[in-house]
């Protein structure tokens, strides 16, 4: 009996009860009369030689201007990374495409499946992030720029851009 009395006093939880009235919004008052533009320091151009980041850096992967060449990516895979043996014929099919400091390259490997490669860093000394038939790794998804994620994770094999 005591348990019934305790539970009876609880009622419905607040999130299940119906609201008594819908909130209403009031329009902000408008003022009539001349408006003056805000005053502040005049805009000035950055000093010569200063690099200013673009707000869309990394959103779209484009042909690398200062990134690695396709041959440099192949050398990386044949070198210390040990992904490609020296006797396998390789041809660059796509890229390298750059987004931020990341690069995406697709290689045709004779006798094997297409090889996707994600690298990052400077064009003369890129670092291998991942290589394989599926390069949408946790690192690429978590820290890669949007342009690389779109190529590595979102695009299907038949939708890959060619350079």
């Amino acid at each position: 009996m005591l348990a019934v009395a305790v539970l009876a006093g609880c009622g419905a939880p607040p999130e299940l009860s119906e609201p008594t009235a819908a909130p209403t919004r009031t329009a902000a008052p408008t003022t009539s009369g001349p408006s003056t533009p805000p005053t502040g320091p005049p805009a000035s151009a950055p000093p010569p030689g200063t690099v200013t980041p673009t707000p869309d850096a990394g959103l779209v992967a484009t042909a690398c201007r200062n990134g690695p060449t396709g041959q440099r990516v192949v050398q990386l895979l044949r070198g210390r990374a040990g992904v490609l043996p020296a006797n396998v014929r390789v041809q660059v099919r796509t890229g390298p495409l750059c987004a931020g400091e990341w690069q995406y390259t697709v290689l045709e490997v004779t006798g094997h499946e297409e090889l996707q490669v994600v690298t990052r860093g400077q064009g003369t000394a890129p670092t291998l992030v991942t290589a394989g038939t599926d390069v949408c790794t946790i690192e690429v998804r978590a820290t890669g720029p949007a342009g690389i994620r779109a190529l590595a994770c979102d695009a299907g094999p038949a939708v890959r851009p060619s350079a």
Side-chain angles (χ1 to χ4, degrees):
M1 181 72 169
L2 180 60
V4 172
V6 171
L7 293 175
C10 293
E15 61 270 5
L16 294 179
S17 64
E18 292 185 27
T20 55
T24 59
R25 292 184 176 215
T26 57
T30 59
T31 60
S32 60
S35 64
T36 57
T39 58
S44 60
T50 303
V51 176
T52 56
T54 59
D56 64 343
L59 291 178
V60 177
T62 58
C64 297
R65 285 189 257 162
N66 298 321
T69 63
Q71 194 58 35
R72 179 66 190 110
V73 172
V74 171
Q75 289 171 350
L76 175 66
L77 295 175
R78 285 194 169 147
R80 223 172 68 196
V83 175
L84 289 174
N87 62 347
V88 165
R89 187 172 174 269
V90 178
Q91 183 176 357
V92 177
R93 184 172 87 76
T94 303
L97 301 174
C98 290
E101 290 190 7
W102 290 61
Q103 303 89 32
Y104 175 83
T105 309
V106 178
L107 304 173
E108 290 179 0
V109 183
T110 302
H112 299 280
E113 292 184 76
E114 186 175 84
L115 184 65
Q116 299 174 50
V117 184
V118 176
T119 54
R120 68 187 297 185
Q122 296 180 351
T124 56
T127 304
L128 180 63
V129 175
T130 186
T133 56
D134 179 8
V135 293
C136 188
T137 63
I138 291 172
E139 182 179 5
V140 171
R141 284 183 298 192
T143 61
I148 297 299
R149 286 193 316 266
L151 293 170
C153 300
D154 301 338
V159 188
R160 304 262 186 238
S162 60

